[in-house]
Coordinates of all heavy atoms in Angstrom, one line a residue:
M1133 N 56.1 162.2 120.7 CA 57.0 161.9 119.7 C 58.1 161.0 120.0 O 58.5 160.9 121.1 CB 57.7 163.3 119.4 CG 58.6 163.3 118.1 SD 58.8 164.9 117.3 CE 60.6 164.8 116.9
L1134 N 58.4 160.2 119.0 CA 59.3 159.1 119.2 C 60.7 159.6 119.4 O 61.0 160.8 118.9 CB 59.4 158.1 117.9 CG 58.1 157.4 117.6 CD1 58.2 156.7 116.3 CD2 57.9 156.2 118.7
T1135 N 61.5 158.9 120.1 CA 62.9 159.5 120.2 C 63.7 159.1 119.0 O 63.3 158.1 118.2 CB 63.6 158.9 121.5 OG1 63.7 157.4 121.4 CG2 62.8 159.2 122.7
C1136 N 64.9 159.7 118.9 CA 65.8 159.3 117.8 C 66.2 157.8 117.9 O 66.3 157.2 116.7 CB 67.0 160.2 117.8 SG 66.7 161.9 117.4
K1137 N 66.4 157.4 118.9 CA 66.8 155.9 119.3 C 65.7 155.1 118.7 O 65.9 154.0 118.0 CB 67.1 155.8 120.7 CG 67.9 154.3 120.9 CD 68.4 154.3 122.3 CE 69.0 152.9 122.4 NZ 69.1 152.3 123.7
E1138 N 64.4 155.3 119.1 CA 63.3 154.4 118.6 C 63.2 154.5 117.2 O 63.0 153.5 116.5 CB 62.0 155.1 119.3 CG 61.9 154.7 120.8 CD 60.8 155.5 121.6 OE1 60.5 156.7 121.2 OE2 60.3 154.9 122.5
V1139 N 63.4 155.7 116.6 CA 63.1 155.9 115.2 C 64.2 155.1 114.4 O 64.0 154.4 113.4 CB 63.2 157.4 114.8 CG1 63.4 157.5 113.3 CG2 61.9 158.1 115.2
S1140 N 65.4 155.1 114.9 CA 66.4 154.4 114.2 C 66.2 152.9 114.2 O 66.5 152.2 113.4 CB 67.9 154.8 114.8 OG 68.0 154.3 116.2
T1141 N 65.7 152.4 115.4 CA 65.3 151.0 115.6 C 64.2 150.6 114.6 O 64.3 149.7 113.9 CB 64.9 150.6 116.9 OG1 65.9 151.0 117.8 CG2 64.4 149.2 117.1
L1142 N 63.2 151.5 114.5 CA 62.0 151.3 113.6 C 62.4 151.3 112.2 O 62.0 150.7 111.3 CB 61.0 152.3 113.9 CG 60.2 152.1 115.3 CD1 59.3 153.2 115.7 CD2 59.4 150.9 115.2
V1143 N 63.3 152.3 111.8 CA 63.9 152.4 110.4 C 64.5 151.1 110.1 O 64.2 150.6 109.0 CB 64.7 153.5 110.2 CG1 65.6 153.5 108.9 CG2 64.0 154.8 110.2
S1144 N 65.4 150.5 110.8 CA 65.9 149.3 110.6 C 65.0 148.1 110.5 O 64.9 147.3 109.6 CB 66.9 148.9 111.8 OG 68.0 149.8 111.8
E1145 N 63.9 148.1 111.4 CA 62.9 147.1 111.4 C 62.1 147.2 110.0 O 61.6 146.2 109.5 CB 61.9 147.3 112.6 CG 62.5 146.6 113.9 CD 61.4 146.6 115.0 OE1 60.3 146.7 114.6 OE2 61.9 146.7 116.1
S1146 N 61.9 148.4 109.6 CA 61.0 148.6 108.4 C 61.6 148.0 107.1 O 61.1 147.8 106.2 CB 60.7 150.0 108.2 OG 61.8 150.7 107.7
L1147 N 62.9 147.8 107.3 CA 63.7 147.0 106.2 C 63.3 145.6 106.1 O 63.2 145.0 104.9 CB 65.2 147.1 106.2 CG 65.8 148.5 106.3 CD1 67.4 148.4 106.5 CD2 65.4 149.3 105.0
D1148 N 63.0 145.0 107.2 CA 62.6 143.5 107.4 C 61.1 143.4 107.1 O 60.7 142.3 106.5 CB 63.1 143.0 108.5 CG 64.6 143.1 108.8 OD1 65.4 143.0 107.8 OD2 65.2 143.3 109.9
H1149 N 60.3 144.1 107.7 CA 58.9 143.9 107.6 C 58.3 145.4 107.7 O 58.8 146.2 108.1 CB 58.4 143.0 108.6 CG 58.7 143.5 110.0 ND1 57.9 144.3 110.6 CD2 59.7 143.2 110.8 CE1 58.4 144.6 111.8 NE2 59.6 143.9 112.0
S1150 N 57.0 145.5 107.0 CA 56.3 146.7 107.2 C 55.8 146.9 108.6 O 55.5 146.1 109.2 CB 55.2 146.8 106.1 OG 54.4 145.8 106.5
L1151 N 55.9 148.2 109.0 CA 55.4 148.6 110.4 C 54.1 148.8 110.5 O 53.5 149.1 109.4 CB 56.2 149.8 110.8 CG 57.7 149.8 110.7 CD1 58.3 151.2 110.9 CD2 58.4 148.8 111.8
P1152 N 53.4 148.6 111.6 CA 52.0 149.0 111.9 C 51.8 150.4 111.6 O 52.8 151.3 111.7 CB 51.8 148.7 113.3 CG 52.9 147.8 113.8 CD 54.1 148.0 112.9
L1153 N 50.7 150.8 111.2 CA 50.4 152.1 110.7 C 50.8 153.2 111.7 O 51.4 154.2 111.4 CB 48.9 152.3 110.3 CG 48.4 153.7 109.9 CD1 49.1 154.0 108.5 CD2 46.9 153.7 109.8
R1154 N 50.5 152.9 113.0 CA 50.9 153.9 114.0 C 52.3 154.2 114.1 O 52.6 155.3 114.2 CB 50.3 153.4 115.4 CG 50.1 154.5 116.4 CD 49.2 154.0 117.6 NE 49.7 154.7 118.8 CZ 50.5 154.0 119.7 NH1 50.7 152.7 119.6 NH2 50.8 154.6 120.7
Q1155 N 53.0 153.2 114.0 CA 54.6 153.4 114.2 C 55.1 154.1 112.9 O 55.8 154.9 112.9 CB 55.2 152.0 114.1 CG 55.1 151.4 115.6 CD 55.9 150.2 115.8 OE1 56.0 149.3 114.8 NE2 56.3 149.8 117.0
R1156 N 54.5 153.7 111.6 CA 54.8 154.3 110.4 C 54.6 155.9 110.5 O 55.4 156.6 110.1 CB 54.1 153.8 109.2 CG 54.6 152.5 108.7 CD 54.3 152.4 107.1 NE 52.9 152.4 107.0 CZ 52.0 151.6 106.8 NH1 52.3 150.2 107.1 NH2 50.7 151.8 106.5
M1157 N 53.3 156.3 111.0 CA 53.0 157.7 111.2 C 54.0 158.3 112.2 O 54.5 159.3 111.9 CB 51.6 157.7 111.7 CG 50.5 157.2 110.7 SD 50.6 157.9 109.2 CE 49.8 159.4 109.4
G1158 N 54.3 157.6 113.3 CA 55.3 158.1 114.2 C 56.6 158.5 113.6 O 57.2 159.5 113.9
V1159 N 57.1 157.5 112.8 CA 58.4 157.5 112.2 C 58.4 158.8 111.1 O 59.2 159.7 111.1 CB 58.8 156.2 111.5 CG1 60.0 156.6 110.6 CG2 59.2 155.2 112.4
R1160 N 57.3 158.7 110.4 CA 57.1 159.9 109.3 C 57.2 161.2 110.0 O 57.8 162.2 109.6 CB 55.8 159.6 108.6 CG 55.8 160.4 107.3 CD 54.6 160.1 106.5 NE 54.8 158.7 106.0 CZ 53.8 158.0 105.1 NH1 52.7 158.7 105.0 NH2 53.9 156.8 104.8
F1161 N 56.5 161.4 111.1 CA 56.3 162.7 111.8 C 57.8 163.0 112.3 O 58.2 164.2 112.1 CB 55.3 162.6 112.9 CG 55.0 163.8 113.6 CD1 54.5 164.8 113.1 CD2 55.6 163.9 114.9 CE1 54.2 166.1 113.7 CE2 55.4 165.1 115.6 CZ 54.6 166.3 115.0
H1162 N 58.4 162.1 112.9 CA 59.8 162.3 113.5 C 60.7 162.8 112.3 O 61.4 163.7 112.5 CB 60.3 161.1 114.1 CG 61.6 161.3 114.9 ND1 61.7 161.6 116.2 CD2 62.9 161.3 114.4 CE1 63.0 161.8 116.5 NE2 63.7 161.6 115.4
L1163 N 60.6 162.0 111.2 CA 61.5 162.5 110.1 C 61.4 163.8 109.6 O 62.3 164.5 109.2 CB 61.4 161.3 109.0 CG 61.9 160.0 109.3 CD1 61.7 159.0 108.1 CD2 63.3 159.9 109.7
M1164 N 60.1 164.2 109.6 CA 59.9 165.7 109.2 C 60.5 166.6 110.0 O 60.9 167.7 109.6 CB 58.3 165.8 109.3 CG 57.6 165.2 108.1 SD 55.9 165.9 107.9 CE 54.9 165.2 109.4
M1165 N 60.6 166.3 111.3 CA 61.3 167.2 112.4 C 62.8 167.0 112.5 O 63.5 167.9 113.1 CB 60.7 167.0 113.8 CG 59.1 167.0 113.8 SD 58.6 168.6 113.2 CE 56.7 168.5 113.3
C1166 N 63.3 165.9 112.2 CA 64.6 165.6 112.7 C 65.5 165.2 111.5 O 65.4 164.1 110.8 CB 64.6 164.3 113.6 SG 66.2 163.8 114.1
S1167 N 66.4 166.0 111.0 CA 67.4 165.9 109.8 C 68.3 164.7 110.2 O 68.7 164.1 109.2 CB 68.1 167.2 109.5 OG 68.8 167.5 110.5
M1168 N 68.7 164.6 111.5 CA 69.7 163.5 111.7 C 69.1 162.1 111.4 O 69.7 161.3 110.8 CB 70.0 163.5 113.3 CG 70.7 164.7 113.7 SD 72.5 164.8 113.4 CE 73.0 163.8 114.8
C1169 N 67.8 162.0 111.6 CA 67.1 160.7 111.4 C 66.9 160.5 110.0 O 66.8 159.4 109.4 CB 65.9 160.4 112.2 SG 66.3 160.1 114.0
R1170 N 66.6 161.7 109.3 CA 66.5 161.6 107.8 C 67.6 161.1 107.2 O 67.6 160.2 106.2 CB 66.1 163.0 107.2 CG 64.6 163.3 107.4 CD 64.2 164.4 106.4 NE 64.8 165.7 106.6 CZ 64.6 166.7 107.5 NH1 63.5 166.5 108.2 NH2 65.3 167.7 107.6
T1171 N 68.8 161.6 107.6 CA 70.1 161.2 107.1 C 70.3 159.8 107.4 O 70.8 159.0 106.6 CB 71.3 162.1 107.7 OG1 71.0 163.4 107.4 CG2 72.6 161.6 107.2
Y1172 N 70.0 159.4 108.7 CA 70.2 158.0 109.0 C 69.4 157.1 108.1 O 69.9 156.1 107.6 CB 69.8 157.7 110.6 CG 69.8 156.3 111.0 CD1 71.1 155.6 111.2 CD2 68.5 155.6 111.0 CE1 71.0 154.2 111.5 CE2 68.6 154.2 111.3 CZ 69.9 153.5 111.6 OH 69.8 152.2 111.9
K1173 N 68.1 157.4 107.8 CA 67.3 156.6 107.0 C 67.8 156.5 105.5 O 67.9 155.4 104.9 CB 65.8 157.2 107.1 CG 64.9 156.1 106.2 CD 63.5 156.9 106.1 CE 62.7 155.7 105.2 NZ 61.3 156.4 104.9
K1174 N 68.3 157.6 105.1 CA 68.8 157.6 103.8 C 70.0 156.8 103.6 O 70.2 156.0 102.7 CB 69.1 159.2 103.5 CG 69.5 159.3 102.0 CD 69.7 160.9 101.7 CE 70.7 161.1 100.6 NZ 71.4 162.4 100.7
Q1175 N 70.9 156.8 104.5 CA 72.1 156.0 104.7 C 71.8 154.6 104.7 O 72.4 153.7 104.1 CB 73.1 156.6 105.6 CG 73.7 157.8 105.3 CD 74.6 158.5 106.3 OE1 74.7 157.9 107.5 NE2 75.3 159.5 105.9
T1176 N 70.8 154.3 105.6 CA 70.4 152.8 105.8 C 70.0 152.2 104.4 O 70.1 151.2 104.1 CB 69.2 152.8 106.9 OG1 69.9 153.4 108.0 CG2 69.0 151.4 107.2
L1177 N 69.1 153.1 103.7 CA 68.5 152.6 102.5 C 69.7 152.4 101.4 O 69.6 151.5 100.7 CB 67.5 153.5 102.0 CG 66.2 153.6 102.8 CD1 65.2 154.6 102.3 CD2 65.5 152.2 102.9
Q1178 N 70.6 153.3 101.5 CA 71.8 153.3 100.5 C 72.5 152.1 100.8 O 73.0 151.3 99.8 CB 72.5 154.6 100.6 CG 72.0 155.7 99.9 CD 72.8 156.9 100.0 OE1 73.5 157.1 101.0 NE2 72.5 157.9 99.3
L1179 N 72.7 151.8 102.0 CA 73.5 150.7 102.5 C 72.9 149.3 102.0 O 73.5 148.4 101.5 CB 73.7 150.6 103.9 CG 74.6 149.5 104.4 CD1 76.2 149.7 104.0 CD2 74.7 149.6 106.1
R1180 N 71.4 149.2 102.2 CA 70.8 148.1 101.9 C 70.8 147.8 100.5 O 71.0 146.7 99.9 CB 69.3 148.3 102.2 CG 68.4 147.2 102.0 CD 67.0 147.3 102.1 NE 66.5 148.2 101.0 CZ 65.3 148.7 100.9 NH1 64.4 148.2 101.7 NH2 64.9 149.5 100.0
D1181 N 70.7 148.9 99.6 CA 70.7 148.8 98.0 C 72.2 148.4 97.7 O 72.2 147.4 96.8 CB 70.3 150.2 97.5 CG 69.0 150.6 97.5 OD1 68.2 149.6 97.9 OD2 68.7 151.7 97.3
A1182 N 73.2 148.9 98.4 CA 74.5 148.4 98.0 C 74.6 146.9 98.3 O 75.4 146.3 97.6 CB 75.5 149.2 98.8
M1183 N 74.2 146.6 99.4 CA 74.3 145.0 99.8 C 73.4 144.2 98.7 O 73.9 143.2 98.4 CB 73.7 144.8 101.2 CG 74.5 145.6 102.3 SD 76.3 145.0 102.2 CE 76.2 143.5 103.1
R1184 N 72.4 144.6 98.3 CA 71.6 143.9 97.4 C 72.3 143.7 96.1 O 72.4 142.6 95.3 CB 70.2 144.6 97.1 CG 69.3 144.4 98.2 CD 67.9 145.0 97.7 NE 66.8 144.6 98.8 CZ 65.8 145.3 98.7 NH1 65.4 146.1 97.9 NH2 64.9 144.7 99.7
T1185 N 73.0 144.9 95.6 CA 73.7 144.9 94.4 C 74.9 144.0 94.5 O 75.3 143.2 93.6 CB 74.2 146.4 94.1 OG1 73.0 147.2 94.0 CG2 75.1 146.3 92.8
Y1186 N 75.5 144.1 95.8 CA 76.7 143.1 96.0 C 76.3 141.7 96.0 O 77.0 140.9 95.2 CB 77.3 143.5 97.3 CG 78.5 142.8 97.7 CD1 79.8 143.2 97.2 CD2 78.4 141.7 98.6 CE1 80.9 142.4 97.6 CE2 79.6 140.9 98.9 CZ 80.8 141.3 98.3 OH 82.0 140.6 98.6
A1187 N 75.1 141.4 96.4 CA 74.7 140.1 96.5 C 74.3 139.5 95.2 O 74.4 138.4 94.9 CB 73.5 139.9 97.6
R1188 N 73.8 140.3 94.3 CA 73.4 140.0 92.9 C 74.5 139.9 92.1 O 74.3 139.0 90.9 CB 72.4 141.0 92.4 CG 71.0 140.8 92.8 CD 70.0 141.5 91.9 NE 70.4 142.9 91.9 CZ 69.6 143.8 92.6 NH1 68.5 143.5 93.2 NH2 69.8 145.1 92.6
R1189 N 75.8 140.4 92.2 CA 76.7 140.4 91.2 C 77.2 139.0 91.0 O 77.0 138.0 91.7 CB 78.0 141.3 91.6 CG 78.7 140.6 92.7 CD 79.5 141.5 93.4 NE 80.2 140.7 94.5 CZ 81.4 140.5 94.8 NH1 82.2 141.3 94.2 NH2 81.8 139.6 95.6
E1190 N 77.8 138.7 89.9 CA 78.5 137.5 89.5 C 79.6 137.3 90.6 O 80.4 138.1 91.0 CB 79.1 137.6 88.3 CG 78.1 137.5 87.1 CD 77.3 136.2 87.0 OE1 77.9 135.2 87.1 OE2 76.1 136.3 86.7
P1191 N 79.9 136.0 91.1 CA 80.8 135.6 92.0 C 82.3 136.1 91.4 O 83.1 136.4 92.3 CB 80.7 134.1 92.0 CG 79.4 133.8 91.6 CD 79.0 134.8 90.6
T1192 N 82.5 136.1 90.2 CA 83.8 136.5 89.9 C 84.0 137.8 89.3 O 85.1 138.3 88.9 CB 84.4 135.5 88.6 OG1 83.4 135.6 87.5 CG2 84.4 134.1 89.1
E1193 N 82.9 138.6 89.5 CA 82.9 140.1 89.1 C 84.0 140.9 89.6 O 84.4 141.8 89.2 CB 81.5 140.7 89.3 CG 81.0 141.4 88.1 CD 79.5 141.7 88.4 OE1 79.3 142.7 89.1 OE2 78.6 141.1 87.8
H1194 N 84.4 140.6 91.0 CA 85.4 141.4 91.6 C 86.7 141.2 91.2 O 87.7 142.0 91.5 CB 85.3 141.1 93.1 CG 85.6 139.8 93.6 ND1 84.8 138.6 93.2 CD2 86.7 139.1 94.1 CE1 85.3 137.6 93.7 NE2 86.4 137.8 94.1
L1195 N 86.9 140.1 90.3 CA 88.3 140.0 89.7 C 88.4 140.6 88.4 O 87.3 140.7 87.6 CB 88.4 138.4 89.5 CG 88.5 137.5 90.7 CD1 88.4 136.1 90.3 CD2 89.7 137.7 91.6
S1196 N 89.7 141.0 88.1 CA 89.8 141.8 86.8 C 89.9 140.6 85.7 O 89.9 139.4 86.0 CB 91.2 142.4 86.8 OG 92.3 141.4 86.9
K1197 N 89.6 141.1 84.5 CA 89.6 140.0 83.3 C 90.8 139.3 83.4 O 90.8 138.0 83.2 CB 89.4 140.9 82.1 CG 88.9 140.1 80.9 CD 88.7 141.1 79.6 CE 88.3 140.3 78.5 NZ 88.3 141.1 77.3
E1198 N 91.9 139.9 83.5 CA 93.2 139.3 83.5 C 93.4 138.3 84.5 O 93.9 137.1 84.3 CB 94.4 140.3 83.7 CG 94.5 141.4 82.5 CD 93.5 142.4 82.6 OE1 92.9 142.7 83.7 OE2 93.1 143.0 81.5
A1199 N 92.9 138.6 85.8 CA 93.0 137.6 86.9 C 92.1 136.4 86.6 O 92.5 135.2 86.9 CB 92.5 138.3 88.1
R1200 N 90.9 136.6 86.0 CA 90.1 135.5 85.6 C 90.8 134.5 84.5 O 90.7 133.3 84.7 CB 88.7 135.9 85.1 CG 87.7 136.1 86.2 CD 86.4 136.6 85.6 NE 86.6 138.0 85.4 CZ 85.6 138.8 84.9 NH1 84.5 138.3 84.6 NH2 85.7 140.1 84.7
Q1201 N 91.4 135.2 83.7 CA 92.2 134.5 82.5 C 93.4 133.8 83.2 O 93.5 132.5 82.9 CB 92.6 135.4 81.5 CG 93.2 134.8 80.2 CD 92.1 133.9 79.6 OE1 90.8 134.3 79.4 NE2 92.2 132.6 79.2
R1202 N 94.1 134.3 84.2 CA 95.2 133.6 84.8 C 94.7 132.3 85.6 O 95.2 131.3 85.5 CB 95.8 134.5 85.8 CG 96.9 135.5 85.2 CD 97.9 135.9 86.2 NE 97.3 136.6 87.3 CZ 96.9 138.0 87.3 NH1 97.2 138.7 86.3 NH2 96.5 138.4 88.4
I1203 N 93.5 132.5 86.3 CA 92.9 131.3 87.0 C 92.6 130.3 85.9 O 92.8 129.0 86.2 CB 91.7 131.8 87.8 CG1 92.2 132.7 88.9 CG2 90.9 130.7 88.4 CD1 91.1 133.4 89.6
K1204 N 91.9 130.6 84.8 CA 91.5 129.6 83.8 C 92.6 128.8 83.3 O 92.6 127.6 83.1 CB 90.8 130.4 82.7 CG 89.3 130.6 82.8 CD 88.7 131.1 81.5 CE 87.4 131.6 81.7 NZ 86.9 132.5 80.6
N1205 N 93.7 129.6 82.9 CA 94.9 128.9 82.6 C 95.5 128.0 83.5 O 96.0 127.0 83.2 CB 96.0 130.1 82.1 CG 95.6 130.9 80.8 OD1 94.7 130.5 80.1 ND2 96.1 132.1 80.7
A1206 N 95.5 128.4 84.7 CA 96.2 127.7 85.8 C 95.3 126.4 86.0 O 95.8 125.3 86.2 CB 96.1 128.5 87.2
L1207 N 94.0 126.5 85.9 CA 93.1 125.3 86.0 C 93.3 124.4 84.8 O 93.4 123.1 84.9 CB 91.7 125.7 85.9 CG 91.2 126.3 87.4 CD1 89.8 126.9 87.2 CD2 91.3 125.4 88.4
K1208 N 93.7 124.9 83.5 CA 93.8 124.1 82.4 C 95.1 123.3 82.5 O 95.2 122.2 82.2 CB 93.9 125.0 81.2 CG 92.6 125.3 80.5 CD 92.9 126.0 79.2 CE 91.7 127.0 78.8 NZ 92.1 128.0 77.9
T1209 N 96.2 124.0 83.1 CA 97.5 123.4 83.1 C 97.7 122.5 84.3 O 98.6 121.7 84.4 CB 98.7 124.3 83.0 OG1 98.4 125.3 84.2 CG2 98.6 125.0 81.7
D1210 N 96.8 122.7 85.3 CA 96.7 121.9 86.6 C 96.5 120.5 86.2 O 95.7 120.1 85.4 CB 95.7 122.4 87.5 CG 95.9 122.0 88.9 OD1 97.0 121.8 89.3 OD2 95.0 121.7 89.6
G1211 N 97.2 119.6 86.9 CA 97.1 118.2 86.9 C 97.6 117.5 85.6 O 97.5 116.3 85.5
K1212 N 98.5 118.3 84.9 CA 99.2 117.7 83.7 C 100.7 117.3 84.1 O 101.3 117.9 85.0 CB 99.4 118.8 82.6 CG 98.1 118.8 81.9 CD 98.2 119.7 80.6 CE 96.8 119.9 79.9 NZ 96.9 120.8 78.8
Ligands
ZN599 ZN1 65.7 161.8 115.2

């Protein structure tokens, strides 16, 4: 059986590329037995999804509507 350290490494690797069947089966077997690694995998996937959502958002989405308006106004009056 794979160790928790090996599984955590393989879970991370599986985000970048699919693992060979033997490793996938090893990870799956380990995850059935180990709740710590299941939690690790779940959190890793949640983090990846959060990063994807963050990367896809509009560049100015983190600013409030008011802040965007203030910047627009400042740009309009700039250079006059
Ligand atoms: Zn484990």
Side-chain angles (χ1 to χ4, degrees):
M1133 185 160 139
L1134 294 169
T1135 64
C1136 292
K1137 194 173 181 205
E1138 289 168 330
V1139 168
S1140 63
T1141 302
L1142 290 170
V1143 164
S1144 298
E1145 276 182 29
S1146 73
L1147 299 179
D1148 298 327
H1149 58 86
S1150 60
L1151 301 172
L1153 181 65
R1154 201 165 143 256
Q1155 284 182 330
R1156 276 204 313 267
M1157 298 302 280
V1159 169
R1160 195 171 296 174
F1161 184 72
H1162 184 101
L1163 291 176
M1164 283 193 289
M1165 307 294 177
C1166 180
S1167 65
M1168 297 277 281
C1169 285
R1170 278 200 301 275
T1171 302
Y1172 174 79
K1173 185 184 177 188
K1174 192 175 147 198
Q1175 289 176 345
T1176 302
L1177 293 176
Q1178 285 173 343
L1179 185 63
R1180 182 191 66 178
D1181 290 346
M1183 294 304 280
R1184 280 184 177 169
T1185 303
Y1186 182 82
R1188 271 200 301 259
R1189 76 197 174 130
E1190 289 293 317
T1192 56
E1193 227 170 75
H1194 62 286
L1195 296 172
S1196 67
K1197 198 176 172 185
E1198 293 76 24
R1200 272 180 283 181
Q1201 194 57 49
R1202 278 201 304 274
I1203 291 170
K1204 270 186 198 169
N1205 291 342
L1207 289 172
K1208 270 185 210 162
T1209 57
D1210 193 35
K1212 278 186 182 172

